[in-house]
Amino acid sequence: MTVIYLDTLFVLNAIMDYLLLLCSARIAGEELHRLRMGLGAVLGGSYAAAAVLPGMDVLLQPPFKIGAAILMVVVGLGASRRLLRQAVIFFALSCAFGGGVLGVSLLGGQGMSLGGGVIYSGMDIRIVLLSAAGCYVLFTLGLSRWGRHTAAAGELIETKLFVFGRETNFTALLDTGNTLSDPLSGKAVMVADADMVMPLLSGIAPFKREELSTPDRVLERINTGRWRGRFRLIPYRAVGVECGLLLALQPDQVKLNGRESGGMLVALSPTPVSDGGNYRALVGSTSGKRDGI
């Protein structure tokens, strides 16, 4: 009979789940919120420990396992419109991680239990965790390079914004999921990191990036002088956000890969649109097609 120690079971699964969430976030290009991922990992470890308690076999049924995994992804990575993609990556990595660590465990002659998705091994926990860390490095380096967005594939766009003689340059991602547009003019809206647009806004009463979480208040303060009419509020909807607002700027000119965009607006995002630093803005596919990108 296998003796299972709940503390070891919890720690092993929590650490594995943390590595899975971290690897999933890096491959998906999501912003890394380590505290949230830690909470998601604790949730996963708690589920694993609860599932082996007497009378709790029901937790090993597929609906509960899938529900626990999705809840882990929501807690660890955040509920965004890319939730389905995040969940698919997480499930795929779970299978790959389990297989990799199981292989090392079998080579060690100790065996490993993967019953119901709960990981337990009689091996030294340090060896198991080192195996998991090795799998993490391998998958992060391999899959992130495979899934990385590239300019050659037409996904990364060199972007230039011009306002009152000033210019700022950054890279944008052609995002088919970005259908944001101005409801009044119908113009397409690019969503950019606020930090990339701030150099264009000299002469406006200063405001911090964090203030963009209440864009209506910022608009009241900056919509004066030569900047009057340059800004507007763009409504948007996303997972977990029923009706949000973004502060958007109308530049003098926007160039995408050297071509005029045709009056695109630029919404200032209070949070980074990419953790990897590969791109700093999102451009909708309709904008790219219109401009021949």
Side-chain angles (χ1 to χ4, degrees):
M1 183 179 73
T2 301
V3 178
I4 295 178
Y5 297 93
L6 282 181
D7 54 348
T8 303
L9 179 70
F10 170 81
V11 171
L12 180 59
N13 281 270
I15 294 177
M16 290 285 288
D17 289 333
Y18 181 82
L19 291 175
L20 281 169
L21 289 169
L22 184 60
C23 191
S24 299
R26 291 193 180 281
I27 290 173
E30 299 292 338
E31 186 176 359
L32 300 184
H33 295 283
R34 296 185 184 274
L35 178 59
R36 294 187 62 167
M37 287 190 289
L39 292 174
V42 168
L43 177 65
S46 301
Y47 165 79
V52 299
L53 292 175
M56 300 298 287
D57 294 349
V58 66
L59 292 178
L60 297 178
Q61 297 300 314
F64 289 96
K65 289 193 292 184
I66 294 172
I70 292 176
L71 185 58
M72 245 196 313
V73 172
V74 171
V75 171
L77 303 183
S80 75
R81 56 187 173 79
R82 295 184 290 272
L83 178 60
L84 178 61
R85 179 170 179 259
Q86 294 168 346
V88 169
I89 292 174
F90 181 80
F91 282 119
L93 284 175
S94 297
C95 296
F97 260 62
V101 178
L102 177 61
V104 174
S105 177
L106 292 175
L107 287 175
Q110 298 292 327
M112 173 176 284
S113 169
L114 288 169
V118 175
I119 297 175
Y120 191 78
S121 175
M123 287 178 69
D124 187 331
I125 191 172
R126 291 171 297 181
I127 297 176
V128 177
L129 293 179
L130 281 173
S131 304
C135 290
Y136 165 76
V137 172
L138 246 132
F139 288 121
T140 300
L141 292 177
L143 294 179
S144 61
R145 180 169 298 182
W146 171 75
R148 187 176 298 160
H149 302 291
T150 63
E155 298 173 301
L156 297 182
I157 302 169
E158 291 306 312
T159 304
K160 293 185 179 181
L161 306 182
F162 302 85
V163 176
F164 294 136
R166 296 187 181 90
E167 174 185 341
T168 185
N169 308 310
F170 51 87
T171 301
L173 172 70
L174 186 62
D175 180 15
T176 57
N178 178 17
T179 58
L180 198 61
S181 63
D182 179 13
L184 296 179
S185 65
K187 293 179 179 178
V189 178
M190 172 195 302
V191 181
D193 285 359
D195 290 345
M196 303 309 299
V197 185
M198 290 298 191
L200 300 175
L201 307 184
S202 110
I204 299 182
F207 63 90
K208 296 180 180 179
R209 176 179 187 149
E210 294 76 20
E211 293 182 75
L212 290 171
S213 59
T214 54
D216 51 333
R217 296 180 184 177
V218 177
L219 180 62
E220 289 179 8
R221 195 167 80 235
I222 65 177
N223 195 29
T224 60
R226 65 175 182 169
W227 294 98
R228 183 177 295 277
R230 283 280 188 165
F231 293 91
R232 66 193 70 184
L233 297 176
I234 303 295
Y236 74 96
R237 296 180 64 183
V239 176
V241 181
E242 183 61 30
C243 186
L245 292 173
L246 291 172
L247 182 68
L249 166 69
Q250 175 66 75
D252 291 329
Q253 189 180 33
V254 179
K255 286 188 176 181
L256 304 178
N257 284 343
R259 299 182 180 181
E260 173 63 43
S261 72
M264 177 184 294
L265 298 176
V266 180
L268 282 63
S269 173
T271 57
V273 299
S274 168
D275 175 69
N278 224 19
Y279 55 90
R280 304 300 297 274
L282 300 174
V283 180
S285 57
T286 54
S287 306
K289 289 177 182 176
R290 183 174 61 240
D291 297 308
I293 297 170

